[in-house]
Amino acid sequence: MTAVSTPPARTDRRIPPAVTISSWAVPVMVLGQFALLAGVPVTIALVGALRRVRDRTVRRAAALLAVTYAIPLVVWRTRPDGAPSLSKDIHPAFVALIVAASAALIVAIRRARR
């Protein structure tokens, strides 16, 4: 009598590397005074999370990051007396919120990988 061992069924829990890299790039870019260019990794993280990730927590964290980034961007674009750069116009509280939302996305990604 022989025992046949079958590996457990693997669930697809992969997070695209672009989402992970983008979640790390956003706070670096915002804190490094490249807030307007940080819109690119925010968009990559949001689209990648919504299209490729099944975990709801990661999706919600990516949406939270996009919303916290969009608010100061819209305020900057609609103000008639705004600064010439988003980095110069953004309030430090919004910078802290964007960094916190990005940290929440990083934690959600790490939790989803386990």
Side-chain angles (χ1 to χ4, degrees):
M1 180 190 249
T2 60
V4 178
S5 175
T6 60
R10 182 178 170 158
T11 59
D12 188 21
R13 303 181 105 196
R14 292 189 38 88
I15 307 292
V19 174
T20 305
I21 293 168
S22 295
S23 66
W24 282 96
V26 171
V28 170
M29 293 179 85
V30 170
L31 291 172
Q33 298 294 314
F34 293 101
L36 189 59
L37 289 177
V40 174
V42 168
T43 304
I44 292 171
L46 179 65
V47 171
L50 292 178
R51 293 190 69 190
R52 304 279 182 191
V53 179
R54 292 185 181 183
D55 189 12
R56 286 184 185 168
T57 308
V58 174
R59 288 180 173 191
R60 289 179 181 163
L64 176 67
L65 176 62
V67 168
T68 57
Y69 177 79
I71 292 171
L73 180 66
V74 169
V75 169
W76 174 65
R77 292 303 299 160
T78 57
R79 281 186 22 191
D81 62 340
S85 168
L86 177 60
S87 298
K88 305 269 188 225
D89 196 49
I90 193 168
H91 193 275
F94 277 116
V95 172
L97 283 173
I98 292 169
V99 171
S102 184
L105 178 58
I106 292 167
V107 169
I109 289 171
R110 290 189 64 108
R111 188 197 57 81
R113 286 192 174 161
R114 290 185 184 188

